Amino acid sequence: MSQHIVIIGGGVIGTACAHYLTEAGCRVTVLDKGTIGGGCSHGNCGYIAPSHVLPLTEPGAVRRAWKSLFQKDAPFKVRPRLDFGLMYWFWQFARRCNYQDMLRAAPAIQSLLLSSMTRYEQLVQAGLDAEWQKRGLLYVYRSRERWEAFAQTNVLLRDQFNEPARPIEPDELETMEPALKPGLAGAWYYEHDAHLRPDRLMRSWKQRLEQRGVQFREQCEVTGFVSNGRTVSAVRTRTGDIPCDGSVAALGAWSPFLQHELGCRIPIQPGKGYSITMPRPARCPTYPIIFPETRVAVTPWASGYRLGSTMEFAGYDATLRPERLELLRRGSREYLHEPYCEPVLEEWYGWRPMTWDSLPIIDRTPRYDNVFLATGHNMLGMSMAPGTGQLVAELVTGATPHIDPRPYSVQRF
């Protein structure tokens, strides 16, 4: 009889784990305290970006973060509060903002990004409906100085990670993307990136997995485990115990709430991101675009259009703050002829699961032999999901891992 694996968390990571565990012959049940795909997997910008190799812990990140604390409308925001866990997290983050640690983390990030891109293309070819487009990604600048300064980073990405961007001069940029205003300094174009519509991905993936026998249970909050020594025999929920042969905790930003039951430290902070979803404006961009100077991201789909980004460390604050949404509008106005339009279909926030070294946690838990973690993907959960799901399936079933799992160990904390 096949193993029954209970996945805790129905976001894109949990869903990817369900897919590859099913392919490996397991029987799978997915639990979520809310709705499947209703958390951070719902309203993000949908980038599948192998170009995002470098961790957030890069040289200069602390200086930029500190400077932003004194700017009223900075894209990066920390809500003042007495939180020793957050202070310790930032201290650990700051320790890693150097060139050596950046280069140490990047290969592990790239392994998951490349694995996931390959698997996304296979999933789309097999009929997964996600409005997938492989048009690349534009980084657009107003400042010529900042555009030229990125050349140094591009050399690093080209020489060490084979992820070069093509420089786009202003004249070419106006022709390439007419939705942009004239007079911009230039852009860098990552040709191999892709994008999709996250809510459509989650809806389609869930339907396909249900057809293959995966059970999804919504409004089902997990409180712990039933165990005999190092083996879990059931997942305990508020509506009853669910027998299993193993479990995967893919709780994203909620992971720390289960760390006592799992017997390990999970130092994740919720990094709050925002987005606004609209119909396509009349002059809609052809390419997904990031404006690094204002930290705003733009995603066009056949069925709609989204502005997103910002980073707010405010704990698990559930307030949809209008001033943060206004940053998205303001940060896109400087670049686009029609940065937004009516009607607004959705204003949204979600909590990204931020680790202090920018690496996810994909590992067996120290307390239990048959419980695994798949969490902490920072801002790249959508980009890393299929590779994570494949790796989790390999760890659960004892197959040879297709990428080295050691950098994602929970023991590093």
Side-chain angles (χ1 to χ4, degrees), residues 323-357:
E323 69 273 16
R324 304 300 288 173
L325 295 169
E326 180 58 29
L327 284 180
L328 302 179
R329 297 185 179 93
R330 189 186 313 159
S332 56
R333 276 199 301 261
E334 302 167 0
Y335 299 86
L336 293 166
H337 287 289
E338 295 184 57
Y340 41 84
C341 64
E342 297 294 338
V344 171
L345 303 176
E346 183 178 31
E347 295 179 331
W348 174 91
Y349 74 86
W351 291 307
R352 308 175 182 104
M354 308 299 293
T355 60
W356 62 48
D357 60 2

Side-chain angles (χ1 to χ4, degrees), residues 255-256 258-267 361 364-367 373 410-411 413:
S255 299
L258 208 60
Q259 63 184 350
H260 177 73
E261 287 76 13
L262 294 170
C264 56
R265 171 187 275 182
I266 306 176
I361 307 165
R364 190 190 310 269
T365 58
R367 177 170 292 173
L373 278 163
V410 71
Q411 305 287 357
F413 303 116

Side-chain angles (χ1 to χ4, degrees), residues 171-359:
D171 290 346
E172 183 183 357
L173 185 60
E174 286 189 40
T175 304
M176 182 178 180
E177 183 50 271
L180 290 166
K181 290 181 176 180
L184 297 169
W188 295 89
Y189 177 45
Y190 287 96
E191 300 181 49
H192 302 123
D193 286 4
H195 67 286
L196 51 74
R197 180 151 186 161
D199 52 346
R200 183 159 291 188
L201 168 75
M202 296 303 298
R203 191 160 53 245
S204 176
W205 214 345
K206 177 175 180 283
Q207 290 171 353
R208 290 171 66 89
L209 289 173
E210 285 176 327
Q211 292 167 3
R212 297 174 65 177
V214 174
Q215 292 189 2
F216 291 88
R217 299 192 189 182
E218 299 183 330
Q219 310 303 325
C220 185
E221 185 175 356
V222 171
T223 59
F225 302 93
V226 178
S227 64
N228 181 13
R230 294 187 57 82
T231 302
V232 161
S233 59
V235 174
R236 182 158 285 160
T237 78
R238 296 199 182 278
T239 55
D241 297 346
I242 302 174
C244 66
D245 300 301
S247 183
V248 178
L251 288 157
W254 293 101
S255 299
F257 290 92
L258 208 60
Q259 63 184 350
H260 177 73
E261 287 76 13
L262 294 170
C264 56
R265 171 187 275 182
I266 306 176
I268 284 174
Q269 287 289 329
K272 195 174 183 182
Y274 290 80
S275 73
I276 308 169
T277 305
M278 297 152 278
R280 289 169 60 91
R283 300 181 72 171
C284 187
T286 302
Y287 299 89
I289 307 170
I290 292 176
F291 305 126
E293 291 149 308
T294 59
R295 304 285 182 177
V296 172
V298 177
T299 311
W301 302 295
S303 64
Y305 172 78
R306 179 169 290 164
L307 301 176
S309 197
T310 80
M311 178 70 77
E312 183 181 30
F313 285 89
Y316 294 90
D317 170 47
T319 307
L320 186 66
R321 296 184 180 274
E323 69 273 16
R324 304 300 288 173
L325 295 169
E326 180 58 29
L327 284 180
L328 302 179
R329 297 185 179 93
R330 189 186 313 159
S332 56
R333 276 199 301 261
E334 302 167 0
Y335 299 86
L336 293 166
H337 287 289
E338 295 184 57
Y340 41 84
C341 64
E342 297 294 338
V344 171
L345 303 176
E346 183 178 31
E347 295 179 331
W348 174 91
Y349 74 86
W351 291 307
R352 308 175 182 104
M354 308 299 293
T355 60
W356 62 48
D357 60 2
S358 295
L359 291 175

Side-chain angles (χ1 to χ4, degrees), residues 56-72:
L56 295 177
T57 50
E58 59 182 357
V62 173
R63 175 180 52 80
R64 292 192 296 271
W66 179 256
K67 183 179 178 181
S68 72
L69 295 179
F70 302 96
Q71 298 172 347
K72 181 180 178 181

Side-chain angles (χ1 to χ4, degrees), residues 31-96:
L31 314 178
D32 198 281
K33 66 181 292 186
T35 58
I36 302 301
C40 205
S41 300
H42 173 76
N44 64 78
C45 285
Y47 292 167
I48 312 303
S51 64
H52 284 35
V53 172
L54 297 180
L56 295 177
T57 50
E58 59 182 357
V62 173
R63 175 180 52 80
R64 292 192 296 271
W66 179 256
K67 183 179 178 181
S68 72
L69 295 179
F70 302 96
Q71 298 172 347
K72 181 180 178 181
D73 296 327
F76 176 83
K77 183 76 173 178
V78 179
R79 295 283 168 192
R81 65 190 190 279
L82 188 62
D83 185 334
F84 293 109
L86 180 63
M87 295 175 191
Y88 185 69
W89 189 96
F90 273 117
W91 179 68
Q92 291 286 358
F93 178 89
R95 289 180 57 215
R96 290 163 174 81

